[in-house]
Amino acid sequence: MSENQTIVIKKIKKGGHGHHGGAWKLAYADFVTAMMAFFLLMWLLGTTEPSFRQGIADYFTDPWKPSIAGGANTGDATSLIQGGGQDVTQSEGQVKLTNEGKQESIADASDKDVDEEAERRDINHLKQLKEKIDNLIETTPLMNQYKDQLMIDFTSEGLRIQIMDQEKKAMFNRASAKMESYAAQILDQLAPVINELPNRISVSGHTDSAPFPGNGQGYTNWELSADRANAARKELVRGGLKDEKIIRVVGLASSVHMNKDNPLDPINRRISIIVLNRRTEEGIINSANVRDFAQKKLLNSPSLPPPPSVPEIKPPVPQLVSH
């Protein structure tokens, strides 16, 4: 090898990882901003009064509704003064937001929310009760045997359970309030299931249109239907229903037929048990309180003479016919 030969040494430098860019930082920043906005929104909703939240909900449902119907911060006033104007008390105009006004608004909204929530729970409880009774009818041999004589449906008053007569299968002895054994067993099965709910119940009796002799002067379908309803009440209590849950026992005679085309149809003879919803129960209690108050006021009035005594008239023993 020649001494004049040049030796070249190449040094290769290995570079580090390449630059990945900052796109992920932008995505992360957007995520953090969105989360901050979300929690800020939740905080604002939590600190806003119910009436304002309702107004916001109404706006997104129908933007024109707040302007037409009025509401918080949308002309909620009987005055033409906008934004308070010269009304230094701020009791009129769009800023009718004094402490008293706020308290009334919050109280009204809260009461409405509580009533709606209670009504929803009440409806759900009645639906669950219907499912339990339907299941009881399908799984219990006795109930399943007589399921054609049972009808369960919803009315404006609540959940209605009806036990009806068939052509050759009556619940009561003919023209009597003495209950047949199978009808008593059906009521005994229903009593503990109904007793699970706090709802109070109404029991009513119905008859067909076959009249009693005597032109309505003695024992009639009115007395018979009332006696049968009361017999059903007693059997329910015997079966496990709390007596204080029964709020009404009535006899409706032949005034409400199930088959209006045939007044003598056996299905018109029935016992109706209604598990009352909250609204109906309150209506019965309130109407009773109003009548009691009016009666006391009438009796305490000094201008009225005392009611005349009426001698007791014992009705004759009726000759029973088919009912």
Side-chain angles (χ1 to χ4, degrees), residues 209-224 253-254 313-319 321 323:
S209 294
F212 278 88
N215 296 323
Q217 300 302 314
Y219 195 80
T220 66
N221 282 332
W222 291 103
E223 288 81 10
L224 178 62
S254 57
I313 300 176
K314 295 184 179 179
V317 178
Q319 299 177 1
V321 295
H323 283 270

Side-chain angles (χ1 to χ4, degrees), residues 222-250:
W222 291 103
E223 288 81 10
L224 178 62
S225 60
D227 289 344
R228 287 180 173 178
N230 198 40
R233 176 195 66 82
K234 292 179 180 178
E235 192 59 42
L236 285 170
V237 173
R238 188 179 296 110
L241 182 71
K242 294 181 180 178
D243 190 33
E244 59 269 18
K245 285 192 175 183
I246 301 174
I247 193 173
R248 183 174 62 186
V249 178
V250 294

